[in-house]
Amino acid sequence: MALTQQDLEALDETIASGTLTCTFNGRMVTYQTTAALLQARAHVASVLKAQKGSRTPTFGGTSYALADFSTD
């Protein structure tokens, strides 16, 4: 099961509500502590960030990078 932005939003709503029970993809999960809930949120956020980071920015189908010609 791939993690989605909606999963992250569901965790954020649960944190904001002050409860430990979160529902996403039709499943209900109850975390034992707020720390465990925050850890789950951090994990989902890092996975989503990694998914976004794997895309190379392109312009017209060609990817570009900046060169660093400085001498140290």
Side-chain angles (χ1 to χ4, degrees):
M1 168 177 105
L3 294 171
T4 65
Q5 183 64 36
Q6 289 77 21
D7 297 332
L8 184 62
E9 291 168 4
L11 288 167
D12 284 338
E13 289 174 15
T14 301
I15 293 166
S17 72
T19 63
L20 296 176
T21 301
C22 184
T23 302
F24 47 99
N25 292 332
R27 295 182 337 161
M28 184 180 293
V29 178
T30 301
Y31 294 90
Q32 292 181 345
T33 64
T34 303
L37 178 58
L38 292 171
Q39 185 177 9
R41 194 233 179 258
H43 170 72
V44 172
S46 69
V47 169
L48 292 177
K49 184 177 179 182
Q51 288 173 354
K52 284 184 180 180
S54 64
R55 297 183 193 140
T56 304
T58 63
F59 179 76
T62 304
S63 61
Y64 293 91
L66 296 175
D68 182 8
F69 296 103
S70 62
T71 57
D72 293 326

